[in-house]
Structures are given as C-alpha cells and as structure tokens.
Amino acid sequence: MRPMTSTTASKGIVAIVGVGPNLGRSIARKFAHEGYTVAILARDLGRLSRFADEIAREEKAQVFAIRIDCSDAKSVREAFEGVHSLGFVEVLVYNACPPVSWHTPKFTDISLDSFEKSLAVSAVGAFHCAQQVLPGMVERGKGTILFTGSSASVNGIGGYCELSCGKFALRALSQCLAREFQPLGIHVAHIIPDGVIGAPRSSQRSGGEQSMDSSMDPDAIAQTYWHIHVQDRSAWTQEIDLRSSNQRF
C-alpha cells in the first residue's frame, strides 16, 4: 500500500476497484475533490501509485494505492485488509473489467480458462469486494455500492461472449444486493456507460470549445457517480444508462 498524505480533513473512505487512466481515475479525483479519503485498487501498482500521487497533489487529498487481482479471492481479502486499516468504507465503486480486444475470436475458439477469467473479473470479483464492505455498512446503517456495467450488461454482443456473460452477471448481482440491502440503508446502483469512454476532455482541449466526437468524457461520467452517492434516500437510483449526445443510435 502506497499512501499519499495531506493535511485536508476527509469525510470517509471510498474504495475504487479497477482504476485506469480514464473512468477510474476520474471517479477517484471527483471523490477526492469532495473531501473523501480515496483508496484506489488495480493490478499495476506502479501506475496506480502515479495516479495516487497526481490526485493527492491536485486535490490536496489523502489517496492510497493498493494492489489487487480481482480474479483472486485471496488477493481481494488482502487488499481490503489494507483498505479497512484506513477506516470505515462508506463507498465501494467496482469498476474492474477484463481486457477487451477489437479482434474478437470465434465462439468456438474461446478457451474455458479465458471465459472463466472474464467472469471472475467482471462478476466474481465484485461479489468478493461487496462481501468485504457490506458487514460494516450494515452495522452503521449507511453506505453506497456502485457497479460499472456496459452496453454488454443488457445486450448480448456477437463476438463478446466473455464480456457479456460477466457483465450480465454483474447486473444481476447489483439488483439482488439492492433488493436485500437498500432497506438497511445501503444504496446499490448499476451504472451503464453506453459507448466508448475516451480521455478527459480537460486534457484534450483548451478554452471552451466542445468536442464533436462520440466518445464519453470520464470526468462527466464521474459526476454521475457522485450524484448517485449523495441522492436523498427517498428517491434512489438503482440503474442508469449514459451515452454521448453525439452517439448515433
């Protein structure tokens, strides 16, 4: 675990699993900006530590980089021992996704090992991470769990059997947890970015001009994660899909 500290008081712990250069990093930056201590988790600890340093410096926040392999139950347990050492986990964001290739194999060419690994990252890892944080949330009667889905969560896509099956299972997990735990004060939601997520617009342009491509801005998506977290419990979102206004249907 790599700590990046500051003197800013924090509100709670946000654990973001599956942090890469786009959406995961944007979500981490948003919650750090709002005053939370942020634990970011992924397999590549070197890259993760650079993200933590960058966000801590920009937002004057506490950010911790923790290695995790979502396909390995032991790795998940060990990673969350580090997360829990920071304090109570108020928010879990599960953003992990198996690698996706544009050159899709034929169904008959997909190995069982590859299929199982995809399910492990998309759904089984989410199961393990949720089990790590839910007891504490139930004890305190509050908490937020946000799962990142995709277009493949609701539509089977030819050539993307591995991704679709994992994301379908993740969506089912989200719905089951929402029905069981929302009456206990835990907000569970499934977010579907329906499109290609690009780099943050702020890093691509200067001034106020608008990009006309159809990619989605991860900083804008991160705002939705924040808004869902702070919703009044009388009107909680359980699932939402997001897409660019420039996307062709």
Side-chain angles (χ1 to χ4, degrees), residues 211-233:
S211 171
M212 294 307 292
D213 67 55
S214 61
S215 66
M216 306 177 73
D217 184 349
D219 286 348
I221 299 173
Q223 293 284 346
T224 296
Y225 283 71
W226 171 253
H227 289 314
I228 291 175
H229 170 54
V230 298
Q231 282 178 328
D232 186 272
R233 64 182 300 165

Side-chain angles (χ1 to χ4, degrees), residues 169-180:
L170 178 66
R171 187 183 187 215
L173 176 66
S174 177
Q175 292 179 359
C176 291
L177 295 184
R179 282 157 178 75
E180 181 174 353

Side-chain angles (χ1 to χ4, degrees), residues 56-131:
R57 183 177 62 253
E58 292 177 354
E59 303 300 337
K60 296 181 174 58
Q62 290 186 314
V63 185
F64 296 81
I66 302 173
R67 188 187 183 279
I68 192 172
D69 180 351
C70 297
S71 67
D72 184 330
K74 182 173 183 288
S75 176
V76 173
R77 289 194 301 271
E78 291 175 347
F80 273 87
E81 287 177 2
V83 174
H84 289 308
S85 72
L86 304 174
F88 163 56
V89 179
E90 183 178 338
V91 184
L92 168 66
V93 178
Y94 193 82
N95 188 58
C97 183
V100 178
S101 172
W102 294 112
H103 303 288
T104 57
K106 295 179 180 179
F107 173 73
T108 51
D109 293 334
I110 298 173
S111 69
L112 178 59
D113 180 68
S114 176
F115 184 76
E116 290 180 338
K117 186 67 173 288
S118 184
L119 288 176
V121 173
S122 289
V124 180
F127 169 87
H128 286 306
C129 290
Q131 283 201 331

